[in-house]
Structures are given as C-alpha cells and as structure tokens.
Amino acid sequence: MSAILRFIVLIPHRDSGRLLWEYRRQLFAAGFEGAYSFPGVAPVAVVSQAFTKGELQGVARTLRALSVQGGRGGKIAIQDLGSLTYSPSSPSGESLYTLTMFGPFLDVPSPEFSHPRVRYRFPRLLLVAGLIKTEAAERLMQEALPQSSAWFFRAGMVANMLFRPLSSGAPGYSFEWHIGTPVWLPSYRARP
C-alpha cells in the first residue's frame, strides 16, 4: 500500500457542511492546529480501488436505510465528540503514518461491507473536524474545547476520496485530497 489512501466518504449537504465549517473555524481560533487538515466528511471505509457509481449508490442506499432505523426519520445527527485512528501500512507491514481524526460521531451505525476492495471499515462514523496527534487524543477529549452545536442532516452524498501526505509543510497536518463525483443518498419519504 502506498502513502495514498482511498476512502469511501459520507458528505453532509452543504447547508449542514457550513455548520461544520464554522465549528472548524472556532477550533482553529482556539489553537487547534489540524482543523483544516482533513475535509469535512465522515470516512466510511478505506478501499484498494475507487468504487464505481453503482457501488457508491449501493452504499448510499444502505446509509439511507440506516438513517430510517430506530425512528430517526431519515436524519443523521451528530453526537458526542471523539476520535478514530487509522494507520496505513506498507506491503512489508511497516506503518507509513497515523491519522487520528477528531470530531462529532454520527448517530447512524457504520454500514456493513463484504466487498473484496474494502481494506478497512471504520467502526463508527465520525464527521471529521480535524486531525490531532495520536498521543494527544485522550488529553484533548478532556480539555475545554468549543462544543459543536447540535444539528442533523437528511441530505448527503457518498463519494470516493483520494488522500495523501504532502512532502512539505507541518508533519502530521499537511495533506491533500481529491473527492470524486458524489452520489446522493436516496431522498427520504415519510411513510403515512
């Protein structure tokens, strides 16, 4: 595996994305260095190759179905703040770098995958507000961070995303990414 990662990501509608952008701005103003080091998306899985449009549509249908379960009414709401860590490795098993993503967890469960290209499925969906140093994750959770306001979204998209570290800039915070053509989650229709 190279230093480039391929993700399947959930992207909230831009109206909700503005709320995350405002929260990231508050974090950066409070001295949170990695507030803009990762896009405002929720990683669903790491994959070996990009998913096709049809495969993305399948993920979108699954996420919509999960957003309806448990009386959610098609809503995907943010929850408490937390972190998730992922460490890609080389073919020899050597860790290339570690990503510790920080932000609010989402209330929908992570969708199940049984696809040969899925290398890793995230155990929970986390809307990334930024990256943090792994060793600082526990301490950060105990600090008086700006709290994100409570919000939810119904409209969202699923897309492929390429992500790679830059050779220059602050180590652990300097990355670039490209998000592919997104596929909308099916519209929600309340049953009478």
Side-chain angles (χ1 to χ4, degrees):
M1 178 187 278
S2 70
I4 295 174
L5 291 179
R6 290 175 172 82
F7 289 93
I8 302 300
V9 295
L10 170 63
I11 308 164
H13 184 274
R14 71 173 167 242
D15 290 345
S16 296
R18 285 189 197 121
L19 296 171
L20 181 63
W21 183 88
E22 175 59 28
Y23 180 57
R24 292 167 79 153
R25 189 191 64 72
Q26 291 173 13
L27 288 172
F28 192 74
F32 189 81
E33 296 176 59
Y36 297 110
S37 296
F38 199 93
V41 299
V44 177
V46 176
V47 294
S48 59
Q49 292 180 319
F51 272 26
T52 65
K53 181 178 180 181
E55 290 166 335
L56 289 174
Q57 288 170 333
V59 174
R61 283 190 299 274
T62 299
L63 284 166
R64 174 53 73 213
L66 291 169
S67 76
V68 173
Q69 291 177 356
R72 289 186 185 90
K75 297 176 184 176
I76 300 173
I78 69 161
Q79 294 183 312
D80 53 317
L81 296 173
S83 65
L84 290 175
T85 299
Y86 179 73
S87 297
S89 57
S90 68
S92 64
E94 178 186 353
S95 179
L96 297 171
Y97 53 91
T98 299
L99 292 176
T100 300
M101 298 163 274
F102 165 80
F105 284 111
L106 300 178
D107 73 337
V108 295
S110 181
E112 294 290 332
F113 280 100
S114 60
H115 195 290
R117 279 181 271 152
V118 173
R119 293 184 181 250
Y120 180 78
R121 182 182 68 86
F122 286 90
R124 290 188 71 185
L125 297 182
L126 177 113
L127 193 54
V128 180
L131 297 179
I132 56 176
K133 299 287 185 188
T134 305
E135 58 276 7
E138 189 173 322
R139 179 182 49 79
L140 185 67
M141 295 301 122
Q142 297 169 356
E143 289 183 6
L145 288 172
Q147 293 296 307
S148 177
S149 59
W151 52 275
F152 67 87
F153 59 96
R154 278 196 177 100
M157 300 165 281
V158 175
N160 291 296
M161 183 182 90
L162 282 175
F163 184 84
R164 76 175 184 91
L166 294 172
S167 57
S168 60
Y173 295 122
S174 299
F175 298 91
E176 69 177 350
W177 56 84
H178 172 75
I179 296 175
T181 304
V183 171
W184 286 97
L185 270 64
S187 61
Y188 171 73
R189 290 182 179 85
R191 293 186 178 156

mmCIF file of all heavy atoms in Angstrom, residues 130-152:
data_model
loop_
_atom_site.group_PDB
_atom_site.id
_atom_site.type_symbol
_atom_site.label_atom_id
_atom_site.label_comp_id
_atom_site.label_asym_id
_atom_site.label_seq_id
_atom_site.Cartn_x
_atom_site.Cartn_y
_atom_site.Cartn_z
ATOM 1 N N GLY A 130 -11.064 17.730 12.181
ATOM 2 C CA GLY A 130 -9.631 17.944 12.029
ATOM 3 C C GLY A 130 -8.836 16.723 12.431
ATOM 4 O O GLY A 130 -9.383 15.707 12.852
ATOM 5 N N LEU A 131 -7.513 16.842 12.285
ATOM 6 C CA LEU A 131 -6.591 15.789 12.685
ATOM 7 C C LEU A 131 -5.876 16.212 13.957
ATOM 8 O O LEU A 131 -5.615 17.396 14.172
ATOM 9 C CB LEU A 131 -5.558 15.537 11.585
ATOM 10 C CG LEU A 131 -6.087 15.033 10.255
ATOM 11 C CD1 LEU A 131 -4.950 14.866 9.255
ATOM 12 C CD2 LEU A 131 -6.842 13.726 10.412
ATOM 13 N N ILE A 132 -5.558 15.238 14.778
ATOM 14 C CA ILE A 132 -4.821 15.508 16.005
ATOM 15 C C ILE A 132 -3.672 14.510 16.114
ATOM 16 O O ILE A 132 -3.671 13.475 15.443
ATOM 17 C CB ILE A 132 -5.724 15.408 17.264
ATOM 18 C CG1 ILE A 132 -6.415 14.045 17.345
ATOM 19 C CG2 ILE A 132 -6.741 16.529 17.295
ATOM 20 C CD1 ILE A 132 -7.239 13.828 18.593
ATOM 21 N N LYS A 133 -2.713 14.816 16.941
ATOM 22 C CA LYS A 133 -1.626 13.875 17.228
ATOM 23 C C LYS A 133 -2.219 12.738 18.055
ATOM 24 O O LYS A 133 -2.972 12.973 19.007
ATOM 25 C CB LYS A 133 -0.508 14.554 18.012
ATOM 26 C CG LYS A 133 0.149 15.707 17.272
ATOM 27 C CD LYS A 133 1.012 15.212 16.150
ATOM 28 C CE LYS A 133 1.759 16.391 15.514
ATOM 29 N NZ LYS A 133 2.463 16.012 14.319
ATOM 30 N N THR A 134 -1.875 11.522 17.716
ATOM 31 C CA THR A 134 -2.443 10.355 18.388
ATOM 32 C C THR A 134 -2.243 10.404 19.891
ATOM 33 O O THR A 134 -3.171 10.137 20.661
ATOM 34 C CB THR A 134 -1.817 9.065 17.815
ATOM 35 O OG1 THR A 134 -2.006 9.081 16.393
ATOM 36 C CG2 THR A 134 -2.448 7.826 18.402
ATOM 37 N N GLU A 135 -1.049 10.788 20.309
ATOM 38 C CA GLU A 135 -0.750 10.799 21.745
ATOM 39 C C GLU A 135 -1.540 11.871 22.499
ATOM 40 O O GLU A 135 -1.647 11.826 23.719
ATOM 41 C CB GLU A 135 0.754 10.971 21.995
ATOM 42 C CG GLU A 135 1.354 12.219 21.398
ATOM 43 C CD GLU A 135 1.765 12.099 19.923
ATOM 44 O OE1 GLU A 135 1.474 11.081 19.274
ATOM 45 O OE2 GLU A 135 2.373 13.057 19.427
ATOM 46 N N ALA A 136 -2.102 12.838 21.784
ATOM 47 C CA ALA A 136 -2.852 13.920 22.419
ATOM 48 C C ALA A 136 -4.354 13.667 22.447
ATOM 49 O O ALA A 136 -5.099 14.449 23.034
ATOM 50 C CB ALA A 136 -2.574 15.237 21.696
ATOM 51 N N ALA A 137 -4.806 12.571 21.852
ATOM 52 C CA ALA A 137 -6.243 12.338 21.703
ATOM 53 C C ALA A 137 -6.973 12.298 23.041
ATOM 54 O O ALA A 137 -7.990 12.965 23.222
ATOM 55 C CB ALA A 137 -6.496 11.050 20.921
ATOM 56 N N GLU A 138 -6.459 11.523 23.998
ATOM 57 C CA GLU A 138 -7.157 11.402 25.286
ATOM 58 C C GLU A 138 -7.161 12.727 26.035
ATOM 59 O O GLU A 138 -8.184 13.144 26.582
ATOM 60 C CB GLU A 138 -6.494 10.319 26.136
ATOM 61 C CG GLU A 138 -7.289 9.989 27.375
ATOM 62 C CD GLU A 138 -6.704 8.805 28.107
ATOM 63 O OE1 GLU A 138 -6.236 7.856 27.462
ATOM 64 O OE2 GLU A 138 -6.731 8.854 29.352
ATOM 65 N N ARG A 139 -6.022 13.411 26.043
ATOM 66 C CA ARG A 139 -5.946 14.708 26.722
ATOM 67 C C ARG A 139 -6.897 15.711 26.075
ATOM 68 O O ARG A 139 -7.589 16.462 26.753
ATOM 69 C CB ARG A 139 -4.509 15.236 26.673
ATOM 70 C CG ARG A 139 -4.331 16.597 27.325
ATOM 71 C CD ARG A 139 -2.900 17.093 27.200
ATOM 72 N NE ARG A 139 -2.329 17.011 25.877
ATOM 73 C CZ ARG A 139 -2.581 17.889 24.887
ATOM 74 N NH1 ARG A 139 -3.415 18.882 25.080
ATOM 75 N NH2 ARG A 139 -2.007 17.757 23.719
ATOM 76 N N LEU A 140 -6.951 15.696 24.750
ATOM 77 C CA LEU A 140 -7.805 16.637 24.028
ATOM 78 C C LEU A 140 -9.274 16.446 24.389
ATOM 79 O O LEU A 140 -10.010 17.414 24.530
ATOM 80 C CB LEU A 140 -7.609 16.466 22.520
ATOM 81 C CG LEU A 140 -8.342 17.448 21.629
ATOM 82 C CD1 LEU A 140 -7.773 18.845 21.820
ATOM 83 C CD2 LEU A 140 -8.246 17.039 20.190
ATOM 84 N N MET A 141 -9.692 15.198 24.582
ATOM 85 C CA MET A 141 -11.081 14.927 24.921
ATOM 86 C C MET A 141 -11.454 15.505 26.292
ATOM 87 O O MET A 141 -12.608 15.744 26.580
ATOM 88 C CB MET A 141 -11.369 13.422 24.931
ATOM 89 C CG MET A 141 -11.250 12.752 23.587
ATOM 90 S SD MET A 141 -12.350 13.449 22.354
ATOM 91 C CE MET A 141 -11.191 13.947 21.132
ATOM 92 N N GLN A 142 -10.454 15.721 27.144
ATOM 93 C CA GLN A 142 -10.716 16.226 28.487
ATOM 94 C C GLN A 142 -10.603 17.747 28.567
ATOM 95 O O GLN A 142 -10.948 18.329 29.582
ATOM 96 C CB GLN A 142 -9.742 15.583 29.487
ATOM 97 C CG GLN A 142 -9.931 14.088 29.571
ATOM 98 C CD GLN A 142 -8.810 13.409 30.333
ATOM 99 O OE1 GLN A 142 -7.845 14.030 30.750
ATOM 100 N NE2 GLN A 142 -8.940 12.103 30.512
ATOM 101 N N GLU A 143 -10.089 18.375 27.511
ATOM 102 C CA GLU A 143 -9.933 19.828 27.520
ATOM 103 C C GLU A 143 -11.258 20.523 27.250
ATOM 104 O O GLU A 143 -12.205 19.930 26.749
ATOM 105 C CB GLU A 143 -8.903 20.259 26.455
ATOM 106 C CG GLU A 143 -7.491 19.889 26.820
ATOM 107 C CD GLU A 143 -6.484 20.382 25.784
ATOM 108 O OE1 GLU A 143 -6.881 21.099 24.847
ATOM 109 O OE2 GLU A 143 -5.308 20.029 25.926
ATOM 110 N N ALA A 144 -11.277 21.799 27.545
ATOM 111 C CA ALA A 144 -12.477 22.611 27.309
ATOM 112 C C ALA A 144 -12.476 23.089 25.862
ATOM 113 O O ALA A 144 -12.183 24.243 25.569
ATOM 114 C CB ALA A 144 -12.515 23.789 28.271
ATOM 115 N N LEU A 145 -12.772 22.187 24.957
ATOM 116 C CA LEU A 145 -12.832 22.530 23.534
ATOM 117 C C LEU A 145 -14.163 23.198 23.231
ATOM 118 O O LEU A 145 -15.161 22.941 23.914
ATOM 119 C CB LEU A 145 -12.735 21.274 22.681
ATOM 120 C CG LEU A 145 -11.389 20.595 22.610
ATOM 121 C CD1 LEU A 145 -11.524 19.269 21.898
ATOM 122 C CD2 LEU A 145 -10.391 21.471 21.886
ATOM 123 N N PRO A 146 -14.196 24.021 22.215
ATOM 124 C CA PRO A 146 -15.501 24.523 21.777
ATOM 125 C C PRO A 146 -16.382 23.327 21.424
ATOM 126 O O PRO A 146 -15.934 22.398 20.758
ATOM 127 C CB PRO A 146 -15.185 25.350 20.532
ATOM 128 C CG PRO A 146 -13.729 25.645 20.606
ATOM 129 C CD PRO A 146 -13.103 24.524 21.386
ATOM 130 N N GLN A 147 -17.588 23.314 21.905
ATOM 131 C CA GLN A 147 -18.512 22.221 21.610
ATOM 132 C C GLN A 147 -19.303 22.551 20.346
ATOM 133 O O GLN A 147 -19.720 23.685 20.159
ATOM 134 C CB GLN A 147 -19.471 21.996 22.782
ATOM 135 C CG GLN A 147 -18.793 21.482 24.036
ATOM 136 C CD GLN A 147 -18.189 20.106 23.829
ATOM 137 O OE1 GLN A 147 -18.857 19.176 23.392
ATOM 138 N NE2 GLN A 147 -16.912 19.974 24.131
ATOM 139 N N SER A 148 -19.477 21.560 19.520
ATOM 140 C CA SER A 148 -20.275 21.741 18.314
ATOM 141 C C SER A 148 -21.741 21.821 18.713
ATOM 142 O O SER A 148 -22.193 21.111 19.609
ATOM 143 C CB SER A 148 -20.050 20.573 17.366
ATOM 144 O OG SER A 148 -20.862 20.696 16.236
ATOM 145 N N SER A 149 -22.473 22.704 18.065
ATOM 146 C CA SER A 149 -23.910 22.780 18.331
ATOM 147 C C SER A 149 -24.576 21.501 17.811
ATOM 148 O O SER A 149 -24.043 20.808 16.962
ATOM 149 C CB SER A 149 -24.511 24.008 17.646
ATOM 150 O OG SER A 149 -24.277 23.939 16.258
ATOM 151 N N ALA A 150 -25.734 21.192 18.353
ATOM 152 C CA ALA A 150 -26.470 20.002 17.927
ATOM 153 C C ALA A 150 -27.131 20.275 16.579
ATOM 154 O O ALA A 150 -27.795 21.289 16.410
ATOM 155 C CB ALA A 150 -27.517 19.636 18.967
ATOM 156 N N TRP A 151 -26.910 19.404 15.629
ATOM 157 C CA TRP A 151 -27.544 19.540 14.328
ATOM 158 C C TRP A 151 -27.625 18.186 13.649
ATOM 159 O O TRP A 151 -27.046 17.218 14.107
ATOM 160 C CB TRP A 151 -26.850 20.580 13.444
ATOM 161 C CG TRP A 151 -25.368 20.437 13.276
ATOM 162 C CD1 TRP A 151 -24.405 20.911 14.102
ATOM 163 C CD2 TRP A 151 -24.680 19.785 12.206
ATOM 164 N NE1 TRP A 151 -23.168 20.590 13.614
ATOM 165 C CE2 TRP A 151 -23.301 19.911 12.456
ATOM 166 C CE3 TRP A 151 -25.087 19.116 11.063
ATOM 167 C CZ2 TRP A 151 -22.329 19.382 11.605
ATOM 168 C CZ3 TRP A 151 -24.125 18.599 10.204
ATOM 169 C CH2 TRP A 151 -22.764 18.743 10.484
ATOM 170 N N PHE A 152 -28.366 18.139 12.564
ATOM 171 C CA PHE A 152 -28.530 16.905 11.815
ATOM 172 C C PHE A 152 -28.668 17.257 10.336
ATOM 173 O O PHE A 152 -28.842 18.418 9.958
ATOM 174 C CB PHE A 152 -29.760 16.126 12.305
ATOM 175 C CG PHE A 152 -31.064 16.809 12.003
ATOM 176 C CD1 PHE A 152 -31.707 16.618 10.786
ATOM 177 C CD2 PHE A 152 -31.637 17.675 12.928
ATOM 178 C CE1 PHE A 152 -32.898 17.262 10.505
ATOM 179 C CE2 PHE A 152 -32.830 18.315 12.655
ATOM 180 C CZ PHE A 152 -33.457 18.107 11.442
#
